[in-house]
């Protein structure tokens, strides 16, 4: 129950963050790998039922920590909800940016939602100067680009 309440709070946080676009952003370097692993821990029970493949080394993201947490939470939540059997997360570096790739199999190509989550997520990603792209073929793949680096230097 405690985990369910926490998830509802995080879902609402994304909505409230977008609605409050005029809030002061506090950009800073944050440990992206730590935030991602903390987010995955929120879903550890559901993830036990799926094959999880992580290709994640230490990486840092530059942006507002609350927004970055919301972005990661939304992407992991969707992967958990809509994957059939596996979730693959990979981190790559490219020209001063970090690319996070979330890939999972899908139950079907039918839409299970109204797309509001993706619309809100795009706004938060854009506010952080990033970009998000989605490709649906045999798998559902999300490419998230944010300003970042691989090490502390």
């Amino acid at each position: 129950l405690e985990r369910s309440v926490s998830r509802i709070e995080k879902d609402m946080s994304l909505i409230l963050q977008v609605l409050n676009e005029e809030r002061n952003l506090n950009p800073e370097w944050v440990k992206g790998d730590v935030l991602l692993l903390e987010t995955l821990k929120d879903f550890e029970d559901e993830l036990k039922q799926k094959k999880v493949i992580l290709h994640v080394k230490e990486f840092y993201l530059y942006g507002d920590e609350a927004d970055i947490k919301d972005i990661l939470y939304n992407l992991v939540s969707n992967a958990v909800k809509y994957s059939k059997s596996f979730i693959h997360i990979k981190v790559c570096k490219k020209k001063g940016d970090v690319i996070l790739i979330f890939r999972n199999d899908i139950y079907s190509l039918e839409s299970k939602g109204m797309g509001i989550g993706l619309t809100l997520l795009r706004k938060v990603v854009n506010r952080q100067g990033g970009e998000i792209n989605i490709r649906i073929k045999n798998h559902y793949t999300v490419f998230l680009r944010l300003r970042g680096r691989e090490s502390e230097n």
Side-chain angles (χ1 to χ4, degrees):
L1 180 64
E2 190 175 312
R3 233 183 231 150
S4 295
V5 170
S6 175
R7 286 190 200 154
I8 291 168
E9 288 173 346
K10 289 179 181 181
D11 286 340
M12 293 305 299
S13 175
L14 178 63
I15 294 168
L16 294 173
Q17 293 286 3
V18 171
L19 294 175
N20 190 14
E21 287 187 28
E22 295 181 16
R23 74 176 179 82
N24 291 332
L25 297 178
N26 297 308
E28 60 182 323
W29 287 103
V30 295
K31 289 195 66 147
D33 55 314
V34 171
L35 295 179
L36 178 59
L37 293 174
E38 287 173 357
T39 303
L40 289 168
K41 191 168 177 70
D42 288 341
F43 296 92
E44 68 183 326
D45 291 338
E46 293 89 341
L47 291 172
K48 288 177 185 173
Q49 302 166 20
K50 300 177 190 293
K51 180 177 180 179
V52 179
I53 306 162
L54 291 176
H55 290 109
V56 178
K57 296 186 241 177
E58 179 181 49
F59 70 96
Y60 291 79
L61 297 170
Y62 187 78
D64 182 81
E65 185 172 356
D67 275 0
I68 292 170
K69 284 181 177 181
D70 285 339
I71 292 165
L72 295 175
Y73 178 84
N74 187 277
L75 292 173
V76 170
S77 174
N78 283 341
V80 168
K81 277 189 240 177
Y82 301 118
S83 66
K84 185 175 181 182
S85 63
F86 81 88
I87 298 168
H88 182 193
I89 301 171
K90 182 176 180 179
V91 177
C92 307
K93 184 173 185 310
K94 184 177 180 180
K95 297 179 185 174
D97 291 332
V98 169
I99 312 291
L100 287 94
I101 303 167
F102 292 77
R103 183 172 164 238
N104 58 272
D105 55 351
I106 47 180
Y107 279 111
S108 70
L109 292 178
E110 294 176 22
S111 175
K112 292 188 177 188
M114 295 183 294
I116 294 171
L118 180 58
T119 301
L120 296 174
L121 184 62
R122 276 192 201 283
K123 287 186 179 229
V124 176
V125 169
N126 289 339
R127 181 166 63 205
Q128 292 306 312
E131 182 180 351
I132 188 166
N133 293 299
I134 296 169
R135 182 177 70 205
I136 302 172
K137 289 195 178 182
N138 295 333
H139 301 97
Y140 187 87
T141 308
V142 176
F143 300 90
L144 171 67
R145 181 192 55 77
L146 293 169
R147 181 175 170 201
R149 61 180 189 238
E150 286 182 312
S151 65
E152 203 168 355
N153 298 331

